[in-house]
Amino acid sequence: MARTLSDNDHASHGGPARASATPLEGLRRAVIGAAEALAAKPVGAITLERPKRAQFGDYSTNAALLLAPGLGVPPREVAERLGAALADRLGPSLARFEVAGPGFLNLFVADSWLTGALEQALAAGEDFGAGGAEKPERILVEFVSVNPTGPMHVGHARNAAYGDALARMLELHGHRVEREFYVNDAGSQVRKFGQSIQALARGGSVPEDGYKGDYVLDLAARLANAATMDPGELGHAAVAIMVENIEESLGAFRVGRFHRWFFESALHEGDPSPVAHTLSILEQQGHTYTHEGALWLRTTDFGDDKDRVLVRSSGEHTYFASDIAYHQDKRERGFERQIDVWGADHHGYVPRMKAAYEALGGDPGELELLIMQLVHLVRSGERSQMSKRAGEFVTLEDLVGEIGLDAARWYLLARSHDTTVDLDVDLAREQSNENPVYYVQYAHARIASMLARAGAERVLAATAAVLDPAREPLHAAERALVEQLLAFPAELAEAVERRAPHRIAAYALELAQGFTAFYRDCRVVGAEPETVESLRIALCVASRSTIARCLALLGVDAPEHM
RNA sequence: GCCCCCGUAGCUCAGCCGGAUAGAGCAUCGGACUUCUAAUCCGAGGGUCGCAGGUUCGAAUCCUGCCGGGGGCACCA
């Protein structure tokens, strides 16, 4: 361990160092420590990153540029001093440093540091990069939550894939995560749903504003007594079937199981019901008032554009009232953070929901309402609508059937959640074989094949043995691959912080490319001397593990063979 | 009218809490399979980062305005 950087003296300051401190964290601490010693005070916003160009070193920091104004010294001179201080701290781990450009400090690490760091990563195994959350929280992720009155289309698929991947990322990062699906089984839509089914069961046609589509006809045929039941009861019976279907569909889409399916109707049951309970809190806090026979919530006190109705003059609760009660319920269940994944058509509800949460005494910072932008379906160059009413939509099943499960999940997750996506179904079908997901999977399968060829015993020996730091200089492709692998913990942390699964996809693709370049340039099985083969096998093991973990986060299969 | 998201290569998109010569995949063109998986690799062409100002040593990134696309603005669910 002496040749790693994590045991420099700075690491022992500033609270309990995590046992899982990664090699790069050690390097970062050394840089920050040296910078703060130079400035004689804490310095923020110091970056330590892999520069785009190899000539700028293995790692580069802008610390000198940030320190220079406070010190009254030219940035390049600060960089020189910082470099010298780092050379002292890091000893032989740092091969050399250069000052470049306006005052960047470029670090060239020694091969021994890289092999030592790789060893640490291998020793951490499946835990490498995991548990990085500084403050683990109990988090509820609510997602999908589609109305149970129709099949899921590709927009819902995007929400499902995103929420699922986000939950997996949060878990790996060290949070305690529960997934929940909110079922809108109350309100007039259920009755309307029942009326549509009943109309078909009686041989008629659905009302103008009713639900259309083959699935409605199926329900009419499947539900006995559909022609004679009370429309409300019929609607509930149909919703129960739809919920089953949705659960099946999500399972087939490889969405992790929901810890709970929360039925809106439960918010109106009991005495007092959760809705009544929540309304009484709001009333006691003085945040409500009556106007024209309706009960209003003064959301404008908390940043909303206008006040909102909780109870209509007819005496019925609004959907908003249920929603508030639901979020209050989640809070009372002890979740420190709530993340809701909403469709773009709900973004207008964000201010009022945050306002209500705050009115109930919650910290609005604990409530994250993430908006998924829309998926536009494109056919032969033209946008087509996904409307339940028109009965024209591409379902989640259609999408998977067209382009495959892995390609579908990758396609939906490889893009930022706040970018509107155009999904050209024809193009997607034609190009599904060109989906980058297969490139990543191929790299994984290739590694599996190589390791099989090396043999389990040889692989075990290679990873168990101390990597020889005195071997011949590392190949450029080996160095690059080690550095890419070492970047995983920070990549995960960044992706989690930004709620950005697409960063994992981007990283996975880059890693697969890095591995493929290594494969091209460096013979693994049979490489001589044996120490070289060992190091390369170890690189394969770490690469396969990291690629597999990324794919698992995205809910994509990591095949042994292709 | 007000609010939110987007505008980067032919197409789909990364990069956006300021850093060095703006990237990837697909598509196009030219090469490479007796070698651990060619679902691969190598090379080439392709950009006023929507427009105009501003802040800064430095702007695709931050601020303002404008243009264009999408979405939302209920005592609907």
Side-chain angles (χ1 to χ4, degrees), chain A residues 245-275:
Chain A
N245 290 347
I246 289 168
E247 189 167 11
E248 270 177 40
S249 298
L250 291 174
F253 197 50
R254 222 179 262 144
V255 172
R257 290 189 68 81
F258 287 91
H259 292 76
R260 183 164 175 178
W261 294 69
F262 194 104
F263 287 83
E264 181 187 359
S265 54
L267 294 168
H268 302 288
E269 294 162 1
D271 187 24
S273 71
V275 169

PDB file of all heavy atoms in Angstrom, chain A residues 245-275:
ATOM      1  N   ASN A 245     -51.662  -6.068 -15.466  1.00  0.00           N
ATOM      2  CA  ASN A 245     -50.992  -5.987 -16.766  1.00  0.00           C
ATOM      3  C   ASN A 245     -49.770  -5.081 -16.704  1.00  0.00           C
ATOM      4  O   ASN A 245     -48.722  -5.397 -17.256  1.00  0.00           O
ATOM      5  CB  ASN A 245     -51.953  -5.438 -17.834  1.00  0.00           C
ATOM      6  CG  ASN A 245     -53.038  -6.439 -18.176  1.00  0.00           C
ATOM      7  OD1 ASN A 245     -52.943  -7.609 -17.797  1.00  0.00           O
ATOM      8  ND2 ASN A 245     -54.063  -5.985 -18.866  1.00  0.00           N
ATOM      9  N   ILE A 246     -49.958  -3.954 -16.029  1.00  0.00           N
ATOM     10  CA  ILE A 246     -48.852  -3.001 -15.930  1.00  0.00           C
ATOM     11  C   ILE A 246     -47.687  -3.627 -15.186  1.00  0.00           C
ATOM     12  O   ILE A 246     -46.523  -3.501 -15.597  1.00  0.00           O
ATOM     13  CB  ILE A 246     -49.334  -1.713 -15.221  1.00  0.00           C
ATOM     14  CG1 ILE A 246     -50.285  -0.929 -16.134  1.00  0.00           C
ATOM     15  CG2 ILE A 246     -48.142  -0.852 -14.819  1.00  0.00           C
ATOM     16  CD1 ILE A 246     -51.036   0.186 -15.432  1.00  0.00           C
ATOM     17  N   GLU A 247     -47.999  -4.344 -14.120  1.00  0.00           N
ATOM     18  CA  GLU A 247     -46.944  -4.980 -13.336  1.00  0.00           C
ATOM     19  C   GLU A 247     -46.190  -5.999 -14.190  1.00  0.00           C
ATOM     20  O   GLU A 247     -44.959  -6.074 -14.151  1.00  0.00           O
ATOM     21  CB  GLU A 247     -47.543  -5.652 -12.103  1.00  0.00           C
ATOM     22  CG  GLU A 247     -46.476  -6.137 -11.129  1.00  0.00           C
ATOM     23  CD  GLU A 247     -47.045  -6.521  -9.765  1.00  0.00           C
ATOM     24  OE1 GLU A 247     -48.284  -6.607  -9.631  1.00  0.00           O
ATOM     25  OE2 GLU A 247     -46.247  -6.735  -8.838  1.00  0.00           O
ATOM     26  N   GLU A 248     -46.935  -6.755 -14.970  1.00  0.00           N
ATOM     27  CA  GLU A 248     -46.309  -7.735 -15.857  1.00  0.00           C
ATOM     28  C   GLU A 248     -45.426  -7.037 -16.888  1.00  0.00           C
ATOM     29  O   GLU A 248     -44.299  -7.453 -17.148  1.00  0.00           O
ATOM     30  CB  GLU A 248     -47.377  -8.537 -16.609  1.00  0.00           C
ATOM     31  CG  GLU A 248     -47.828  -9.801 -15.894  1.00  0.00           C
ATOM     32  CD  GLU A 248     -48.935 -10.493 -16.680  1.00  0.00           C
ATOM     33  OE1 GLU A 248     -48.848 -10.526 -17.928  1.00  0.00           O
ATOM     34  OE2 GLU A 248     -49.886 -10.965 -16.053  1.00  0.00           O
ATOM     35  N   SER A 249     -45.982  -5.998 -17.482  1.00  0.00           N
ATOM     36  CA  SER A 249     -45.235  -5.280 -18.521  1.00  0.00           C
ATOM     37  C   SER A 249     -43.938  -4.719 -17.964  1.00  0.00           C
ATOM     38  O   SER A 249     -42.885  -4.797 -18.600  1.00  0.00           O
ATOM     39  CB  SER A 249     -46.073  -4.134 -19.087  1.00  0.00           C
ATOM     40  OG  SER A 249     -47.232  -4.635 -19.696  1.00  0.00           O
ATOM     41  N   LEU A 250     -44.018  -4.144 -16.771  1.00  0.00           N
ATOM     42  CA  LEU A 250     -42.822  -3.554 -16.174  1.00  0.00           C
ATOM     43  C   LEU A 250     -41.806  -4.628 -15.830  1.00  0.00           C
ATOM     44  O   LEU A 250     -40.598  -4.429 -15.992  1.00  0.00           O
ATOM     45  CB  LEU A 250     -43.202  -2.753 -14.931  1.00  0.00           C
ATOM     46  CG  LEU A 250     -43.989  -1.471 -15.206  1.00  0.00           C
ATOM     47  CD1 LEU A 250     -44.454  -0.829 -13.908  1.00  0.00           C
ATOM     48  CD2 LEU A 250     -43.137  -0.479 -15.997  1.00  0.00           C
ATOM     49  N   GLY A 251     -42.301  -5.767 -15.379  1.00  0.00           N
ATOM     50  CA  GLY A 251     -41.394  -6.863 -15.083  1.00  0.00           C
ATOM     51  C   GLY A 251     -40.679  -7.313 -16.343  1.00  0.00           C
ATOM     52  O   GLY A 251     -39.461  -7.540 -16.338  1.00  0.00           O
ATOM     53  N   ALA A 252     -41.443  -7.406 -17.424  1.00  0.00           N
ATOM     54  CA  ALA A 252     -40.853  -7.829 -18.683  1.00  0.00           C
ATOM     55  C   ALA A 252     -39.883  -6.779 -19.207  1.00  0.00           C
ATOM     56  O   ALA A 252     -38.947  -7.100 -19.949  1.00  0.00           O
ATOM     57  CB  ALA A 252     -41.963  -8.072 -19.713  1.00  0.00           C
ATOM     58  N   PHE A 253     -40.091  -5.538 -18.808  1.00  0.00           N
ATOM     59  CA  PHE A 253     -39.201  -4.455 -19.219  1.00  0.00           C
ATOM     60  C   PHE A 253     -38.015  -4.357 -18.263  1.00  0.00           C
ATOM     61  O   PHE A 253     -37.225  -3.435 -18.330  1.00  0.00           O
ATOM     62  CB  PHE A 253     -39.976  -3.138 -19.258  1.00  0.00           C
ATOM     63  CG  PHE A 253     -39.306  -2.049 -20.038  1.00  0.00           C
ATOM     64  CD1 PHE A 253     -38.840  -2.267 -21.327  1.00  0.00           C
ATOM     65  CD2 PHE A 253     -39.141  -0.788 -19.488  1.00  0.00           C
ATOM     66  CE1 PHE A 253     -38.226  -1.257 -22.046  1.00  0.00           C
ATOM     67  CE2 PHE A 253     -38.524   0.239 -20.198  1.00  0.00           C
ATOM     68  CZ  PHE A 253     -38.068  -0.006 -21.483  1.00  0.00           C
ATOM     69  N   ARG A 254     -37.931  -5.323 -17.377  1.00  0.00           N
ATOM     70  CA  ARG A 254     -36.805  -5.448 -16.467  1.00  0.00           C
ATOM     71  C   ARG A 254     -36.756  -4.300 -15.461  1.00  0.00           C
ATOM     72  O   ARG A 254     -35.678  -3.877 -15.019  1.00  0.00           O
ATOM     73  CB  ARG A 254     -35.497  -5.510 -17.247  1.00  0.00           C
ATOM     74  CG  ARG A 254     -34.529  -6.553 -16.699  1.00  0.00           C
ATOM     75  CD  ARG A 254     -33.258  -6.589 -17.518  1.00  0.00           C
ATOM     76  NE  ARG A 254     -33.226  -7.632 -18.508  1.00  0.00           N
ATOM     77  CZ  ARG A 254     -32.652  -7.500 -19.714  1.00  0.00           C
ATOM     78  NH1 ARG A 254     -32.124  -6.363 -20.077  1.00  0.00           N
ATOM     79  NH2 ARG A 254     -32.645  -8.501 -20.551  1.00  0.00           N
ATOM     80  N   VAL A 255     -37.910  -3.794 -15.112  1.00  0.00           N
ATOM     81  CA  VAL A 255     -37.985  -2.767 -14.066  1.00  0.00           C
ATOM     82  C   VAL A 255     -38.038  -3.482 -12.726  1.00  0.00           C
ATOM     83  O   VAL A 255     -38.849  -4.384 -12.530  1.00  0.00           O
ATOM     84  CB  VAL A 255     -39.230  -1.882 -14.257  1.00  0.00           C
ATOM     85  CG1 VAL A 255     -39.425  -0.951 -13.065  1.00  0.00           C
ATOM     86  CG2 VAL A 255     -39.103  -1.074 -15.538  1.00  0.00           C
ATOM     87  N   GLY A 256     -37.174  -3.100 -11.826  1.00  0.00           N
ATOM     88  CA  GLY A 256     -37.112  -3.732 -10.511  1.00  0.00           C
ATOM     89  C   GLY A 256     -38.463  -3.651  -9.808  1.00  0.00           C
ATOM     90  O   GLY A 256     -39.249  -2.732 -10.045  1.00  0.00           O
ATOM     91  N   ARG A 257     -38.718  -4.589  -8.933  1.00  0.00           N
ATOM     92  CA  ARG A 257     -40.030  -4.646  -8.283  1.00  0.00           C
ATOM     93  C   ARG A 257     -40.276  -3.408  -7.422  1.00  0.00           C
ATOM     94  O   ARG A 257     -39.380  -2.915  -6.749  1.00  0.00           O
ATOM     95  CB  ARG A 257     -40.113  -5.888  -7.410  1.00  0.00           C
ATOM     96  CG  ARG A 257     -40.169  -7.178  -8.204  1.00  0.00           C
ATOM     97  CD  ARG A 257     -40.478  -8.354  -7.287  1.00  0.00           C
ATOM     98  NE  ARG A 257     -41.827  -8.302  -6.763  1.00  0.00           N
ATOM     99  CZ  ARG A 257     -42.898  -8.698  -7.449  1.00  0.00           C
ATOM    100  NH1 ARG A 257     -42.775  -9.170  -8.664  1.00  0.00           N
ATOM    101  NH2 ARG A 257     -44.100  -8.623  -6.919  1.00  0.00           N
ATOM    102  N   PHE A 258     -41.521  -2.956  -7.471  1.00  0.00           N
ATOM    103  CA  PHE A 258     -41.918  -1.854  -6.607  1.00  0.00           C
ATOM    104  C   PHE A 258     -42.139  -2.391  -5.197  1.00  0.00           C
ATOM    105  O   PHE A 258     -42.730  -3.454  -5.021  1.00  0.00           O
ATOM    106  CB  PHE A 258     -43.201  -1.206  -7.128  1.00  0.00           C
ATOM    107  CG  PHE A 258     -42.980  -0.383  -8.366  1.00  0.00           C
ATOM    108  CD1 PHE A 258     -43.097  -0.951  -9.629  1.00  0.00           C
ATOM    109  CD2 PHE A 258     -42.621   0.947  -8.280  1.00  0.00           C
ATOM    110  CE1 PHE A 258     -42.864  -0.201 -10.774  1.00  0.00           C
ATOM    111  CE2 PHE A 258     -42.385   1.703  -9.416  1.00  0.00           C
ATOM    112  CZ  PHE A 258     -42.506   1.129 -10.663  1.00  0.00           C
ATOM    113  N   HIS A 259     -41.659  -1.629  -4.232  1.00  0.00           N
ATOM    114  CA  HIS A 259     -41.885  -2.045  -2.860  1.00  0.00           C
ATOM    115  C   HIS A 259     -43.359  -1.925  -2.505  1.00  0.00           C
ATOM    116  O   HIS A 259     -43.863  -2.630  -1.643  1.00  0.00           O
ATOM    117  CB  HIS A 259     -41.048  -1.193  -1.898  1.00  0.00           C
ATOM    118  CG  HIS A 259     -39.583  -1.440  -2.013  1.00  0.00           C
ATOM    119  ND1 HIS A 259     -38.831  -0.951  -3.058  1.00  0.00           N
ATOM    120  CD2 HIS A 259     -38.737  -2.166  -1.234  1.00  0.00           C
ATOM    121  CE1 HIS A 259     -37.574  -1.350  -2.891  1.00  0.00           C
ATOM    122  NE2 HIS A 259     -37.493  -2.089  -1.809  1.00  0.00           N
ATOM    123  N   ARG A 260     -44.011  -1.002  -3.181  1.00  0.00           N
ATOM    124  CA  ARG A 260     -45.402  -0.785  -2.822  1.00  0.00           C
ATOM    125  C   ARG A 260     -46.160  -0.179  -3.998  1.00  0.00           C
ATOM    126  O   ARG A 260     -45.639   0.667  -4.722  1.00  0.00           O
ATOM    127  CB  ARG A 260     -45.464   0.177  -1.629  1.00  0.00           C
ATOM    128  CG  ARG A 260     -46.857   0.434  -1.114  1.00  0.00           C
ATOM    129  CD  ARG A 260     -46.759   1.065   0.269  1.00  0.00           C
ATOM    130  NE  ARG A 260     -48.083   1.440   0.764  1.00  0.00           N
ATOM    131  CZ  ARG A 260     -48.298   1.972   1.955  1.00  0.00           C
ATOM    132  NH1 ARG A 260     -47.280   2.196   2.759  1.00  0.00           N
ATOM    133  NH2 ARG A 260     -49.513   2.286   2.332  1.00  0.00           N
ATOM    134  N   TRP A 261     -47.374  -0.660  -4.173  1.00  0.00           N
ATOM    135  CA  TRP A 261     -48.304  -0.046  -5.118  1.00  0.00           C
ATOM    136  C   TRP A 261     -49.284   0.715  -4.251  1.00  0.00           C
ATOM    137  O   TRP A 261     -50.085   0.118  -3.539  1.00  0.00           O
ATOM    138  CB  TRP A 261     -49.005  -1.117  -5.960  1.00  0.00           C
ATOM    139  CG  TRP A 261     -48.058  -1.846  -6.860  1.00  0.00           C
ATOM    140  CD1 TRP A 261     -47.075  -2.719  -6.488  1.00  0.00           C
ATOM    141  CD2 TRP A 261     -47.970  -1.730  -8.286  1.00  0.00           C
ATOM    142  NE1 TRP A 261     -46.387  -3.154  -7.595  1.00  0.00           N
ATOM    143  CE2 TRP A 261     -46.921  -2.570  -8.708  1.00  0.00           C
ATOM    144  CE3 TRP A 261     -48.672  -0.999  -9.237  1.00  0.00           C
ATOM    145  CZ2 TRP A 261     -46.560  -2.695 -10.051  1.00  0.00           C
ATOM    146  CZ3 TRP A 261     -48.329  -1.132 -10.568  1.00  0.00           C
ATOM    147  CH2 TRP A 261     -47.280  -1.972 -10.967  1.00  0.00           C
ATOM    148  N   PHE A 262     -49.181   2.023  -4.314  1.00  0.00           N
ATOM    149  CA  PHE A 262     -49.980   2.846  -3.410  1.00  0.00           C
ATOM    150  C   PHE A 262     -51.253   3.274  -4.131  1.00  0.00           C
ATOM    151  O   PHE A 262     -51.204   3.983  -5.140  1.00  0.00           O
ATOM    152  CB  PHE A 262     -49.179   4.071  -2.971  1.00  0.00           C
ATOM    153  CG  PHE A 262     -49.782   4.789  -1.811  1.00  0.00           C
ATOM    154  CD1 PHE A 262     -49.245   4.659  -0.534  1.00  0.00           C
ATOM    155  CD2 PHE A 262     -50.903   5.589  -1.984  1.00  0.00           C
ATOM    156  CE1 PHE A 262     -49.809   5.314   0.539  1.00  0.00           C
ATOM    157  CE2 PHE A 262     -51.477   6.249  -0.907  1.00  0.00           C
ATOM    158  CZ  PHE A 262     -50.925   6.110   0.363  1.00  0.00           C
ATOM    159  N   PHE A 263     -52.390   2.832  -3.600  1.00  0.00           N
ATOM    160  CA  PHE A 263     -53.669   3.150  -4.249  1.00  0.00           C
ATOM    161  C   PHE A 263     -54.230   4.463  -3.720  1.00  0.00           C
ATOM    162  O   PHE A 263     -54.356   4.642  -2.506  1.00  0.00           O
ATOM    163  CB  PHE A 263     -54.669   2.011  -4.038  1.00  0.00           C
ATOM    164  CG  PHE A 263     -54.333   0.795  -4.860  1.00  0.00           C
ATOM    165  CD1 PHE A 263     -53.388  -0.127  -4.409  1.00  0.00           C
ATOM    166  CD2 PHE A 263     -54.933   0.602  -6.101  1.00  0.00           C
ATOM    167  CE1 PHE A 263     -53.069  -1.234  -5.187  1.00  0.00           C
ATOM    168  CE2 PHE A 263     -54.612  -0.507  -6.871  1.00  0.00           C
ATOM    169  CZ  PHE A 263     -53.676  -1.428  -6.411  1.00  0.00           C
ATOM    170  N   GLU A 264     -54.561   5.323  -4.657  1.00  0.00           N
ATOM    171  CA  GLU A 264     -55.113   6.621  -4.281  1.00  0.00           C
ATOM    172  C   GLU A 264     -56.346   6.445  -3.401  1.00  0.00           C
ATOM    173  O   GLU A 264     -56.574   7.241  -2.485  1.00  0.00           O
ATOM    174  CB  GLU A 264     -55.479   7.420  -5.546  1.00  0.00           C
ATOM    175  CG  GLU A 264     -56.043   8.794  -5.245  1.00  0.00           C
ATOM    176  CD  GLU A 264     -56.565   9.511  -6.479  1.00  0.00           C
ATOM    177  OE1 GLU A 264     -56.464   8.940  -7.581  1.00  0.00           O
ATOM    178  OE2 GLU A 264     -57.079  10.622  -6.345  1.00  0.00           O
ATOM    179  N   SER A 265     -57.119   5.425  -3.667  1.00  0.00           N
ATOM    180  CA  SER A 265     -58.357   5.223  -2.898  1.00  0.00           C
ATOM    181  C   SER A 265     -58.063   5.070  -1.409  1.00  0.00           C
ATOM    182  O   SER A 265     -58.897   5.432  -0.574  1.00  0.00           O
ATOM    183  CB  SER A 265     -59.107   3.998  -3.430  1.00  0.00           C
ATOM    184  OG  SER A 265     -58.259   2.867  -3.447  1.00  0.00           O
ATOM    185  N   ALA A 266     -56.861   4.561  -1.087  1.00  0.00           N
ATOM    186  CA  ALA A 266     -56.515   4.376   0.327  1.00  0.00           C
ATOM    187  C   ALA A 266     -56.421   5.718   1.049  1.00  0.00           C
ATOM    188  O   ALA A 266     -56.540   5.775   2.276  1.00  0.00           O
ATOM    189  CB  ALA A 266     -55.187   3.629   0.447  1.00  0.00           C
ATOM    190  N   LEU A 267     -56.219   6.771   0.293  1.00  0.00           N
ATOM    191  CA  LEU A 267     -56.093   8.092   0.910  1.00  0.00           C
ATOM    192  C   LEU A 267     -57.444   8.606   1.407  1.00  0.00           C
ATOM    193  O   LEU A 267     -57.503   9.576   2.147  1.00  0.00           O
ATOM    194  CB  LEU A 267     -55.506   9.098  -0.095  1.00  0.00           C
ATOM    195  CG  LEU A 267     -54.072   8.825  -0.524  1.00  0.00           C
ATOM    196  CD1 LEU A 267     -53.703   9.696  -1.709  1.00  0.00           C
ATOM    197  CD2 LEU A 267     -53.118   9.075   0.640  1.00  0.00           C
ATOM    198  N   HIS A 268     -58.507   7.953   0.935  1.00  0.00           N
ATOM    199  CA  HIS A 268     -59.844   8.408   1.320  1.00  0.00           C
ATOM    200  C   HIS A 268     -60.492   7.467   2.320  1.00  0.00           C
ATOM    201  O   HIS A 268     -61.645   7.614   2.679  1.00  0.00           O
ATOM    202  CB  HIS A 268     -60.724   8.528   0.068  1.00  0.00           C
ATOM    203  CG  HIS A 268     -60.147   9.467  -0.951  1.00  0.00           C
ATOM    204  ND1 HIS A 268     -60.115  10.821  -0.785  1.00  0.00           N
ATOM    205  CD2 HIS A 268     -59.533   9.226  -2.135  1.00  0.00           C
ATOM    206  CE1 HIS A 268     -59.527  11.395  -1.828  1.00  0.00           C
ATOM    207  NE2 HIS A 268     -59.157  10.435  -2.660  1.00  0.00           N
ATOM    208  N   GLU A 269     -59.741   6.459   2.753  1.00  0.00           N
ATOM    209  CA  GLU A 269     -60.289   5.480   3.692  1.00  0.00           C
ATOM    210  C   GLU A 269     -59.764   5.746   5.093  1.00  0.00           C
ATOM    211  O   GLU A 269     -58.702   6.330   5.283  1.00  0.00           O
ATOM    212  CB  GLU A 269     -59.901   4.059   3.245  1.00  0.00           C
ATOM    213  CG  GLU A 269     -60.560   3.672   1.924  1.00  0.00           C
ATOM    214  CD  GLU A 269     -59.879   2.493   1.256  1.00  0.00           C
ATOM    215  OE1 GLU A 269     -58.905   1.951   1.830  1.00  0.00           O
ATOM    216  OE2 GLU A 269     -60.310   2.122   0.146  1.00  0.00           O
ATOM    217  N   GLY A 270     -60.518   5.261   6.066  1.00  0.00           N
ATOM    218  CA  GLY A 270     -60.122   5.410   7.462  1.00  0.00           C
ATOM    219  C   GLY A 270     -60.691   6.693   8.061  1.00  0.00           C
ATOM    220  O   GLY A 270     -61.229   7.543   7.351  1.00  0.00           O
ATOM    221  N   ASP A 271     -60.562   6.802   9.367  1.00  0.00           N
ATOM    222  CA  ASP A 271     -61.093   7.992  10.041  1.00  0.00           C
ATOM    223  C   ASP A 271     -60.111   8.445  11.102  1.00  0.00           C
ATOM    224  O   ASP A 271     -59.920   7.756  12.097  1.00  0.00           O
ATOM    225  CB  ASP A 271     -62.452   7.657  10.670  1.00  0.00           C
ATOM    226  CG  ASP A 271     -63.117   8.902  11.235  1.00  0.00           C
ATOM    227  OD1 ASP A 271     -62.780  10.013  10.747  1.00  0.00           O
ATOM    228  OD2 ASP A 271     -63.951   8.768  12.130  1.00  0.00           O
ATOM    229  N   PRO A 272     -59.440   9.549  10.916  1.00  0.00           N
ATOM    230  CA  PRO A 272     -59.595  10.355   9.703  1.00  0.00           C
ATOM    231  C   PRO A 272     -58.797   9.755   8.543  1.00  0.00           C
ATOM    232  O   PRO A 272     -57.791   9.095   8.766  1.00  0.00           O
ATOM    233  CB  PRO A 272     -58.993  11.706  10.114  1.00  0.00           C
ATOM    234  CG  PRO A 272     -57.933  11.331  11.096  1.00  0.00           C
ATOM    235  CD  PRO A 272     -58.468  10.149  11.852  1.00  0.00           C
ATOM    236  N   SER A 273     -59.276   9.989   7.355  1.00  0.00           N
ATOM    237  CA  SER A 273     -58.544   9.522   6.182  1.00  0.00           C
ATOM    238  C   SER A 273     -57.278  10.353   6.040  1.00  0.00           C
ATOM    239  O   SER A 273     -57.187  11.460   6.575  1.00  0.00           O
ATOM    240  CB  SER A 273     -59.409   9.686   4.938  1.00  0.00           C
ATOM    241  OG  SER A 273     -59.542  11.063   4.627  1.00  0.00           O
ATOM    242  N   PRO A 274     -56.289   9.828   5.338  1.00  0.00           N
ATOM    243  CA  PRO A 274     -55.065  10.621   5.116  1.00  0.00           C
ATOM    244  C   PRO A 274     -55.348  11.985   4.505  1.00  0.00           C
ATOM    245  O   PRO A 274     -54.685  12.965   4.857  1.00  0.00           O
ATOM    246  CB  PRO A 274     -54.257   9.735   4.163  1.00  0.00           C
ATOM    247  CG  PRO A 274     -54.678   8.344   4.515  1.00  0.00           C
ATOM    248  CD  PRO A 274     -56.148   8.449   4.830  1.00  0.00           C
ATOM    249  N   VAL A 275     -56.331  12.050   3.621  1.00  0.00           N
ATOM    250  CA  VAL A 275     -56.657  13.343   3.023  1.00  0.00           C
ATOM    251  C   VAL A 275     -57.206  14.288   4.092  1.00  0.00           C
ATOM    252  O   VAL A 275     -56.755  15.438   4.205  1.00  0.00           O
ATOM    253  CB  VAL A 275     -57.679  13.187   1.871  1.00  0.00           C
ATOM    254  CG1 VAL A 275     -58.203  14.553   1.455  1.00  0.00           C
ATOM    255  CG2 VAL A 275     -57.036  12.480   0.688  1.00  0.00           C
TER     256      VAL A 275
END
